[in-house]
Amino acid sequence: MDDPSDSSLSLEKQICFPFYEAANLLQQLYRPFLAPLNLTYAQYLVMLALWGHDGKSDVTVGTIGRQLGFETGTLSPLLKRMEAAGHVRRMRSPDDERRVIISLTRQGQLLREKAKYIPDQLLRDSGLNDAELAGLREKGQAFARCLRRMLQIRSV
Amino acid sequence: MDDPSDSSLSLEKQICFPFYEAANLLQQLYRPFLAPLNLTYAQYLVMLALWGHDGKSDVTVGTIGRQLGFETGTLSPLLKRMEAAGHVRRMRSPDDERRVIISLTRQGQLLREKAKYIPDQLLRDSGLNDAELAGLREKGQAFARCLRRMLQIRSV
DNA sequence: GGATATTATATTGCATACAATATAATTGCA
DNA sequence: TGCAATTATATTGTATGCAATATAATATCC
């Protein structure tokens, strides 16, 4: 079987394409919910990370990058836009001036109250039951884990 | 339960994030395989679509857009880059001059021979068995289908 | 303690993505 | 036939994404 059949190049047989398509679609799905909060989907993920840290410890650009799998080339300008929008503050660490500490502004903290209805709303709209949702999450995480392993990226 | 718990905003509980992350990772995974062919992942998907049509009938910009879920704002410049790279030709339809017919160049046809080893290579590298791969594909397709339904996009 | 290596972030260049809008051609209907 | 509606693609503007590179600060080693 050294010569793979041409059918392996069939669009329908692709494993990756549905995931790629889903990523595009889910951003379209979130847009009308996030636009009123002045957030894009990538920015929403950053907010989730920051809300999760609760200001208990310093969160740097690198912290967020590792959590979300973003390179600095993505995160730096993204965080500047979020700063311009008033969601976050960027501050050089006094201890290590290479680090930039990202913290929530008051507005960024308050945004959590508006955002917390979004996940449940979308879950309801999906019409999927808990088992189906759990199955999707598990498969999504498994695939991401598989890809990280193939790329030799240390999982968070 | 009108007031959702804040935990719904936890990054770990998100359904969508793993799919979003996977889409970013899979492009990184394909890059070293596709770069030698002078293709990006999105362009590879266009090639899959074109190879699948086999030149049997006219493939327009709209045809590809519906198959891949791309807007014209994405596809138009993408196809121009593929034309500049010598993979495809763009030609106004004589029948309906609004249409632009996309066809493979000789180079684009030959590229299929080089590309056909990629899927099997990646499947091997994944280390997943057939059942796991089938499960992933099914869940990915199911999620994309769910999102299309939520966005009221007619499936291809 | 000073050269070297490492770390953390920023910048640049290129390629997606999509919404909104524009343009041009075709269709449909009075 | 003529004009409004529709269709197909292109353009513009904004926001990702990542690789490659640059910059600056810290750590390490001798």
Side-chain angles (χ1 to χ4, degrees):
Chain A
M1 287 302 219
D2 278 330
D3 194 48
S5 73
D6 284 1
S7 71
S8 67
L9 289 176
S10 149
L11 202 48
E12 289 72 28
K13 297 225 172 118
Q14 299 301 309
I15 310 273
C16 289
F17 173 49
F19 286 84
Y20 178 83
E21 183 185 10
N24 288 338
L25 290 169
L26 71 89
Q27 290 182 75
Q28 293 181 51
L29 187 65
Y30 269 92
R31 191 167 293 120
F33 292 90
L34 294 177
L37 309 187
N38 201 17
L39 288 174
T40 64
Y41 184 69
Q43 293 173 5
Y44 171 66
L45 292 177
V46 170
M47 294 303 280
L48 289 183
L50 290 172
W51 289 327
H53 284 290
D54 254 347
K56 287 193 292 280
S57 61
D58 284 356
V59 177
T60 67
V61 175
T63 310
I64 301 171
R66 277 184 297 276
Q67 265 191 292
L68 304 180
F70 288 165
E71 298 299 319
T72 64
T74 302
L75 212 40
S76 281
L78 190 154
L79 287 168
K80 284 190 178 176
R81 283 187 290 269
M82 293 182 73
E83 183 184 42
H87 300 313
V88 303
R89 267 187 304 269
R90 294 164 63 254
M91 183 181 54
R92 287 278 162 191
S93 164
D95 298 338
D96 184 342
E97 293 202 355
R98 291 171 307 177
R99 294 169 187 265
V100 172
I101 297 173
I102 307 299
S103 59
L104 288 165
T105 59
R106 180 88 184 120
Q107 172 194 316
Q109 287 165 6
L110 292 176
L111 213 53
R112 184 177 190 161
E113 293 306 305
K114 295 185 184 173
K116 70 180 181 182
Y117 298 98
I118 296 177
D120 292 276
Q121 175 72 54
L122 287 176
L123 290 178
R124 263 200 307 280
D125 291 353
S126 78
L128 301 176
N129 62 41
D130 287 352
E132 290 169 324
L133 289 171
L136 276 184
R137 177 166 37 222
E138 202 280 315
K139 287 294 181 188
Q141 289 173 349
F143 189 49
R145 215 160 37 231
C146 171
L147 292 169
R148 276 197 301 264
R149 184 173 49 71
M150 293 173 78
L151 286 162
Q152 312 198 351
I153 294 175
R154 191 175 58 261
S155 294
V156 186
Chain B
M1 287 301 221
D2 278 332
D3 193 46
S5 74
D6 284 1
S7 72
S8 67
L9 289 177
S10 149
L11 202 49
E12 289 72 28
K13 297 225 173 121
Q14 299 301 309
I15 310 274
C16 289
F17 173 49
F19 287 84
Y20 178 84
E21 184 186 9
N24 288 338
L25 289 170
L26 71 89
Q27 289 181 76
Q28 293 180 50
L29 187 66
Y30 269 93
R31 191 166 293 119
F33 292 90
L34 294 178
L37 309 187
N38 201 15
L39 289 174
T40 64
Y41 184 69
Q43 293 172 4
Y44 172 67
L45 291 177
V46 170
M47 294 302 280
L48 289 184
L50 290 172
W51 288 328
H53 284 289
D54 253 347
K56 287 192 291 281
S57 61
D58 283 356
V59 178
T60 67
V61 175
T63 309
I64 301 171
R66 278 185 297 278
Q67 266 190 290
L68 304 181
F70 289 164
E71 298 298 320
T72 63
T74 301
L75 212 40
S76 280
L78 190 155
L79 287 169
K80 284 190 179 176
R81 282 186 291 270
M82 292 181 74
E83 183 184 39
H87 300 312
V88 303
R89 266 186 304 268
R90 293 163 64 254
M91 182 182 54
R92 288 278 161 191
S93 164
D95 299 337
D96 184 342
E97 295 204 354
R98 294 170 304 176
R99 295 169 188 262
V100 172
I101 297 174
I102 307 298
S103 57
L104 288 166
T105 60
R106 181 84 186 124
Q107 172 193 318
Q109 288 166 5
L110 293 177
L111 214 52
R112 184 176 190 162
E113 293 306 305
K114 295 185 186 175
K116 70 179 181 183
Y117 298 98
I118 296 177
D120 293 276
Q121 175 73 54
L122 288 175
L123 291 178
R124 263 200 307 280
D125 291 353
S126 76
L128 300 175
N129 61 42
D130 287 351
E132 290 169 323
L133 288 171
L136 276 184
R137 176 166 37 220
E138 201 281 315
K139 288 294 182 186
Q141 288 173 349
F143 189 49
R145 215 159 37 230
C146 171
L147 292 169
R148 276 196 301 262
R149 186 174 47 72
M150 292 174 78
L151 285 162
Q152 311 197 353
I153 294 175
R154 189 174 62 263
S155 295
V156 187

